[in-house]
Amino acid sequence: ICFRGFRDPKNPRYAQIFVVDADGSNEKQLTFDVAVNWAPFWHADGETLVYSKNVGGHRNYDLFLVKASGGPSVRISRAPEADVLPVFSPDGKKILWTSTRADGRSQLFIADFRMPTAEEWATLAAEEEARLAAEKVAAEERAKSSAPAAPAAEPIRLDAERLLADVKTLADDRLEGRRAGTEAAKLAAGMVTIAFREAGLTPADDDGDYLQKFPMLVGFESGEGGVSFRHQTPNDGFLHAFQASPSSFTSLRGTAGAAASGALAFRGYGLAVDGVSDDYAGLPPVKGRVVVLFERGVPTEALAAADPHSNPQAFFDAYPKALAAKMRGAAAVVFVRDSKQRGGDELAAPTVDGGAADVGIPCARVRREDLALVLGAFGRKLDDLEEAATATQGVGFDLPVEVVVDKRLVETRGDALNVIAAVRGRETPNEHVLITAHYDHLGWGGQGSLAEGGAAPQIHNGADDNASGTAGLIGLAQWFAKRPAKRTLVFVAFSGEEEGLLGSQHFLAHPTVPVDSIVAVVNLDMIGRYRPEEGVAIDGVATAEAFAELIAAANGGRLKVSTTAGAMSGRSDHASFIARGIPALHLFTGAHVDYHKPSDDADKIDAKGLAAVAELAGEIARRLADLPQRPVFVKPKPVSSVGGTGFGAWLGTIPSYAQDEGGVRLSGVSAGSPAEKAGLKADDVLIRLGEFPIGNIQDFTTALRSRKPGDEVEVEIVRGGAKTVFKVVLGRR
């Protein structure tokens, strides 16, 4: 039996490859690396194993061979991307594996395989040993001479236990997960403010205020009213009126508008995916009617056979269904759960989530048992309809039932707070290096939560995401307060990052220092789970030519570091600055099973690792602040795959999530993207894509998901108060 295990007594945190007889005897360790070794697979000879190892850095895995009898491993792949999960064909003449080398996504590759001879094996092993030795020497030489000399002899040292104490305070249940805009988040902002003030940092403005406020939607409350049905049944001819159980209105903000009524039009799951599945096809128009839909969709044969780059699950949410109904003229939408939807038949309270955009028509939920009573009067069974709608499309029907949707959804808004302070520079105080981290998290769950099942709301403390980065930010602010650099260091604790980088985008729209004075940004997000075998990933290295050497010099070989270009990934606040043409770096110690779950607690934070990564960030920031010449921004090259959902259609716009109505304002466009080629640019407001009017980010994503690569579409924008139409040929994600 071959397996990967954490049994090395000298390095228990590193995964190694082992073999053992089927009866559990003769266990033997085959690898002894300071790296992640995993996914072993037997060759047909019964003596050789192939496996993956990340010798090339945080995400760069390659394939290796090793003999079950022991001895040196040999490397058989050398791509700069990830090669993982190798398997041999039964005869051992083919090898199949997963790699990101083609387009950034995980794709399958197959190749002929020939086992190295004993002589070749020895040569390959020697080459690998020589390569590793050469890399070590080169790294040491770069650290000594290839980058600017350290500006100060005193190394940055942070108190690991003090950082951990700050993490525990921020991740305490009493702060209820620090959801942006809530009172609990304001308490967290107060903690950061006190730390900055006590350290002696300068406030963000001349009024002595460390806080920068910006409004945001934080929740909904259901108002009065509900959903009622009026109909004449064919068997008795009497007029019947039925008031559904107190309705829960969805988070779709169109619900806040006027009441609506119309005849009932049932349209199954309400899927409307062009060229794939259309639950409205072949049925009467729904203009002026109240459309009744199952709230969540299920895969069908048509969807499964869709474009291989598609993710039809993106169409199953309430928002795209409601938008499809609205575009067909529906007066309102009434959702009902299907039998497989978690939460049973209970009506959930409206929450702030991805459906918080304004769809423009009322959208409510009713219980299954209420709708079943109405449909039953006409001989229709909800369970039968669900089964039919699951199997095929176009199973809808109209009924002579007047549906009245009369309810209000009350929005709750609050102020989110950025906390900003500075340490004035010794020589060039009017140029600024920013050190940033977001302190908000997910509160009691809801939007962004990956908690299992349909459990009741739980506090998401976000110890790693991002109490860890905030603790590092505070520690560095306290250290630099007594040791100013040449340029001014600005420390910013952002809020609203989890809702779409709202805090950093608001800062750039309302800067406390001139945007053109910002030399560079160093962002800390999730730095509390340092694992020596994986190290720390630094994103954004391609946004300035000086970054790679500067990072190597700052690190001095202390930590394992892997770097990524930073092609406006949008995953953290550094992306807002890259989109504005400002060099920005992002430090991150990797994802884990507790990400966006209630289990991300302080007891899982590695205090010493947190301190080491924060010290590296501080050393990078100090070198940036002391550079003779400010680094020159380099726009990252486009990436062929950026993940996401939909049919793979790529426009390449970078939206500003801070605007939630009146269109989608662009923070920028990706290099080489269809948007850039067509002439779109930062501060354009997108108001139409094809036939879809764009009122908010949800409209935009739904419209883009309805398209395929190669489609030519009209894109209408507002620029300088004037409307302009561009024709764009969409690319592939």
Side-chain angles (χ1 to χ4, degrees), residues 103-105 638-643 732-733:
D103 59 1
R105 295 172 182 246
V639 263
S640 56
S641 172
V642 294
R732 183 176 295 279
R733 297 180 76 92

Side-chain angles (χ1 to χ4, degrees), residues 265-408:
F266 177 79
R267 293 296 182 268
Y269 282 95
L271 298 177
V273 186
D274 186 36
V276 180
S277 181
D278 187 353
D279 284 331
Y280 295 88
L283 296 171
V286 297
K287 185 175 182 179
R289 293 179 174 271
V290 175
V291 177
V292 177
L293 304 172
F294 289 117
E295 185 173 357
R296 299 289 176 183
V298 294
T300 65
E301 291 184 7
L303 289 173
D307 186 296
H309 289 273
S310 71
N311 180 5
Q313 185 68 40
F315 294 89
F316 298 166
D317 292 334
Y319 191 89
K321 292 182 177 185
L323 185 60
K326 175 195 172 184
M327 292 186 67
R328 287 163 174 76
V333 177
V334 172
F335 288 109
V336 65
R337 294 177 182 270
D338 72 11
S339 60
K340 302 178 183 64
Q341 192 171 339
R342 69 185 187 184
D345 202 21
E346 294 303 315
L347 294 175
T351 59
V352 179
D353 55 24
D358 188 351
V359 75
I361 58 175
C363 301
R365 296 183 180 99
V366 295
R367 295 176 62 183
R368 284 177 66 90
E369 65 179 39
D370 289 342
L371 185 61
L373 285 173
V374 176
L375 298 180
F378 294 86
R380 307 276 187 172
K381 293 184 178 180
L382 195 57
D383 289 343
D384 292 344
L385 293 172
E386 180 181 331
E387 183 178 354
T390 300
T392 186
Q393 60 188 30
V395 297
F397 52 84
D398 298 341
L399 290 179
V401 176
E402 182 186 27
V403 185
V404 180
V405 183
D406 183 13
K407 180 120 173 184
R408 299 295 181 270

Side-chain angles (χ1 to χ4, degrees), residues 500-501 505-506 508-509 568 575-581 635 650-671 673-689 694-701 704 715-720 724 726 728 730:
L501 315 185
Q505 292 187 8
H506 181 82
L508 285 165
M568 303 184 183
S576 296
F577 294 91
I578 294 174
R580 290 293 296 269
K635 194 170 187 177
W650 182 48
L651 180 58
T653 51
I654 306 168
S656 169
Y657 291 86
Q659 180 166 326
D660 60 5
E661 57 186 12
V664 173
R665 183 175 297 278
L666 303 183
S667 295
V669 294
S670 296
S673 67
E676 184 183 61
K677 293 175 182 177
L680 275 67
K681 58 185 181 180
D683 293 326
D684 287 345
V685 179
L686 183 65
I687 59 173
R688 180 171 63 85
L689 194 152
I694 306 299
N696 51 62
I697 189 67
Q698 285 285 53
D699 289 346
F700 172 57
T701 55
L704 193 58
V715 175
E716 186 172 4
I717 59 103
V718 176
R719 179 183 295 171
T724 305
F726 296 86
V728 181
L730 299 175

Side-chain angles (χ1 to χ4, degrees), residues 150-291:
E154 182 181 4
I156 298 175
R157 292 292 180 264
L158 302 180
D159 186 335
E161 292 305 314
R162 184 171 180 176
L163 297 183
L164 182 60
D166 285 342
V167 171
K168 289 179 178 179
T169 301
L170 287 164
D172 191 279
D173 282 353
R174 288 172 291 184
L175 291 186
E176 298 183 354
R178 312 183 305 280
R179 173 74 80 171
T182 64
E183 291 301 315
K186 292 177 183 177
L187 292 176
M191 173 204 160
V192 179
T193 300
I194 291 171
F196 285 170
R197 180 184 296 118
E198 290 183 346
L201 273 70
T202 304
D205 56 41
D206 294 334
D207 296 331
D209 193 353
Y210 293 86
L211 302 176
Q212 181 184 54
K213 297 180 181 180
F214 59 95
M216 63 177 294
L217 180 68
V218 297
F220 295 107
E221 295 178 2
S222 270
E224 299 297 324
V227 178
S228 59
F229 303 88
R230 290 166 54 87
H231 57 89
Q232 280 187 312
T233 55
N235 54 345
D236 60 20
F238 288 104
L239 182 67
H240 294 265
F242 175 72
Q243 177 76 34
S245 302
S247 305
S248 169
F249 272 49
T250 70
S251 304
L252 306 179
R253 290 164 57 193
T255 305
S261 64
L264 187 153
F266 177 79
R267 293 296 182 268
Y269 282 95
L271 298 177
V273 186
D274 186 36
V276 180
S277 181
D278 187 353
D279 284 331
Y280 295 88
L283 296 171
V286 297
K287 185 175 182 179
R289 293 179 174 271
V290 175
V291 177

Side-chain angles (χ1 to χ4, degrees), residues 123-172:
T123 300
L124 288 170
E127 288 178 355
E128 182 64 15
E129 184 177 354
R131 184 192 65 81
L132 292 174
E135 283 188 358
K136 183 177 180 180
V137 171
E140 292 173 349
E141 291 301 318
R142 286 195 301 269
K144 291 178 182 178
S145 59
S146 298
E154 182 181 4
I156 298 175
R157 292 292 180 264
L158 302 180
D159 186 335
E161 292 305 314
R162 184 171 180 176
L163 297 183
L164 182 60
D166 285 342
V167 171
K168 289 179 178 179
T169 301
L170 287 164
D172 191 279

